[in-house]
Amino acid sequence: MKIAWHQPAALLAVALVSSCNRDSDLVLSPLSCAEKAADGLRQIASTRDARFQGKVTEQTALCRGGEPAAARRSLPWVDWANYFATGDETSKSWLPTQNFRGVGGALVDLEYQRAELIKFNLFDNSGTFEQYRRDTGGKEGAAQKTWPQMRLPESDPHFTAVGGDGEQLCKGALIRSRTLNGICNDLTNPLMGSTGTLFARNVQFESTFPDLQVDAPADERDRTTNRHAGRISLLIPDPQVISRKLFTREQSDPAACNDGYGRPGLSKDSHCDYKQAPFFNVLAAFWIQFMTHDWFSHLEEGHNRGDYMSVGCASQKVNGIETPLTPADITRLGCRPSDAMERSYVADADGPATFMSGNKSYYARAPKTFRNTNTAWWDGSQIYGFDALSRARVKRDPHDPARLLMVQVPGANKQGDSQGYLPLLQDADPKNPDWTGQESVAFADNWTIGLSFLHNVFAREHNQFVDEFRRRTNKTPDADSGLRDPDAPDRVIRYRDLTPDELFEVARLVIAAEIAKIHTIEWTTQLLYNEPLYRGMNGNWNGLLEKTSSLSRELADVVSRLKASNRSLEANQYYSILAAGPGIFGLKSAAPGWSMAGDDNRRKFVNGGTNHFGSPFNFPEEFVTVYRLHALVPDLIDYRVLDAANQITSEIPVVETFRGRATPFMHERGLANWGLSMGRQRLGALALQNHPRFLQNLKMDRLHSPTQTIDVAALDILRDRERGVPRFNEFRRQYGLHQLTSFDDFINPNDTPLAQAEQTKLAKVMREVYGQHRCDRTKKIAYAQRNNDGTEIDDCLGKPDGSMVDNIEDLDTVVGWLAESTRPHGFAISETQFVVFILNASRRLYSDRFFTSSFRPEFYTEPGVDWVNNNGPAPMHETTPINGHRNEPVSPFKRVLLRTVPELKSELAPVANAFDPWSRDRGKYYSLDWKPRPGAESDPAFAVK
Ligand code: HEM
């Protein structure tokens, strides 16, 4: 094949083919339809306001999805969701080539989005942005790979070890494994991603803090002022009013729910209504909480700073005018005016410097910055710790310090229980008093039975790996383990040479990588349950360049060349398309001369597989926003026991398992029953009026407030406002998505009449809460995008001048993405959340050398690499096809469960993805039906209500 390498779109097509080459039916170019001739290939946008927005031409839509796809182009939502074969069986065409174009076209659209996100949405807060924007010393800013801001400061105990005032380069013990506080993941940027570094942003700094409009460069300030016209502030619209009107789960039998506490005695007759997602289980809800505790936190040891603020329940709009709530309103709403909460920690609130570039003035950072008190790396820090206090809660087994301490629980005698349970926090352990009685783990906050389950499972899994390593040591003690010491890289380390500390750190690397793999190819493919995302996520983990591909070598050369290119933006786009995760490892492992001896080799080989795209890696505030997924949690767990899996024996309120109260529930009932219960139950859909009642009324003993109670759903709104997250419409414009023009845009014209009636009702409530105003076309409101005709977007959003329009610009981002009812098939999240995810999930892999160039036996050992690649000590495959894919490896979380809770074996046998409700019949091709699998017909969860 001859490829015009200078053309990004040509490369896109090739990347796509290489990503699909496992299936012989996908060897044609997806762009072979008439669209190619008619449109030419789209170029990556050169300016922000010319971005793709997920919208294609009519001809392309026709080609990839037929008439329905063409008809839906007028909606604000992305077009690929309407292409052939991107939904369930009914979305397929009878013509296989059309299905190929549909899925392939969706992947192409997603890659355009990702390339443009990398180009337009990286904003680092730590002082590198000016350099990124500018050309410095003849080198484009976006080609920077090392930043002075990422040096260790003199106060750091490792300052001298990494080079002090001279060039800094991590070496020796600092590069062998993941460090406690995350320094030295990148050898040449030791500070990057470490505990306490600043959250980044994905949106232009000038678009943050829309209610403050402090000192923004003048033209941007006008736009923000025009956009919100003084209508918004920290407490307006009122967060508790938003929570009560737009987040509350309506109950058919309020007494049976009792605000999430159920009836006394864990009665089976308790019941809380919630909107359920049929294809995602409760384990998946707690999984993502478990993940966020690895990635980020704004709090320190579970609290914020001392001074308190009101959290609303003060006013609402009456006839469009903000009016104090009357006592009767308060009673009717059920909110609490005397709730109060600690304010957020702020790292820096001094007005940011501005600089000029290309005749335009820019902020050098956001008006306020915040610290990530966790490591930003995907390093298992919720298990292994991220600072001295959290590490003190990580208990090692005194008999074999390579293992985590697990204790026997009296009376727990199921098959897996011999692997033990986590020990409890002791008086001497560092802890927030609220955590007394909990199991001892590094990240201990907001603990319930769900986190208890996952922490216990992965502590057992850590020990399973250590045991396997010990078995291999017994068998071949003198064999080369693969591990190397960077201080003596030529010395072979035999299995029997490994110290317990070395093995502990290897096990941490393995568990962290296994978790990242589970998240990427099992959790996410169920969260986004359709064929394009199945292919995309597997490509993201395995790399689009598979070793078996005949194109690999050629593409590998191109990737290396492009990566070295000084035309940084172009190189970044190519690179983002072609390379990913251990795909880069695949290239590096084949690289002749791999060695970690000497500084040059360390730079080139140990560190050389990462790509930060010109901007140091940390999560942006906007990422936290889209992970505010409290609606996933049910109020009650439908509790089952393994001996009678098809019965619900009690209803256990999640709130009754909050903090230390989880311990007796775990010890008396055991991992297997909790796994079964949470594995079979559907989680809460991410939708409006679907937040757990108990989280709106959560007692927190540490609070110095009259109620000692907090509405977590209201706090989600308030925290985003404190951190200056742009409101929903501007958020979408910033990420290259199409804006909305009224609350009615949330109504999905292709949904059932019943669903549309519900959406219409919710649009009305949004209008009531956020209000309307008379629009003025002279007021321009955005820079990030323009109207289709090239004119500036104004306050009327296409409606007649002077007409009453919805205050859609004021809508809080969390409310907006919860309201999105038009979603790609099988999407548990909205497209707005997804676009944040496309960018940051990729970066989280690209930036981490332990998933790229250091994913090697020299760091992981030979059994460690095998464990991650094979999902355990040896490969295992499913015997039945999954959504048309044959010979699939047994999914990694299912393998973990089979090892750590082996009594679940027969329950898990028919399960293809451990995050799909275990008793559901998955049908043929991405079905979302709620139907029992054979053997689960009598499960009451399937009873028609
Ligand atoms: C069921 C148990 C849960 C409880 C009791 C709980 C409680 C809380 C509380 C009290 C906060 C506020 C912290 C603050 O800003 O002061 C919070 C924040 C948060 N929660 Fe949850 N939560 C739960 C489940 C979840 C789940 C399932 C997710 C899913 C991802 C989640 C994601 C978040 C995120 C992203 C934040 C913001 C963290 C930050 O600002 O760094 N939570 N949660």
Side-chain angles (χ1 to χ4, degrees), residues 285 289 297-298 341 446 627-628 630 658 695 715 719 723:
Q289 189 188 20
S297 174
H298 284 85
M341 190 54 165
N446 296 331
Y627 277 94
R628 295 187 180 279
H630 291 117
F658 190 40
L695 281 181
L715 191 60
R719 289 289 190 229
R723 293 170 192 147

Side-chain angles (χ1 to χ4, degrees), residues 199 285-286 288-289 292-293 296-299 304 341-342 446-448 624 627-630 632-633 654 658 694-695 698 700 702 710 712 715-716 719 723:
F199 280 104
F286 289 114
I288 189 60
Q289 189 188 20
T292 60
H293 290 178
F296 58 78
S297 174
H298 284 85
L299 278 62
N304 262 291
M341 190 54 165
E342 301 139 325
N446 296 331
W447 190 256
T448 65
V624 179
Y627 277 94
R628 295 187 180 279
L629 304 181
H630 291 117
L632 296 177
V633 182
V654 175
F658 190 40
F694 82 91
L695 281 181
L698 191 66
M700 291 174 82
R702 74 179 165 80
I710 196 75
V712 178
L715 191 60
D716 278 334
R719 289 289 190 229
R723 293 170 192 147

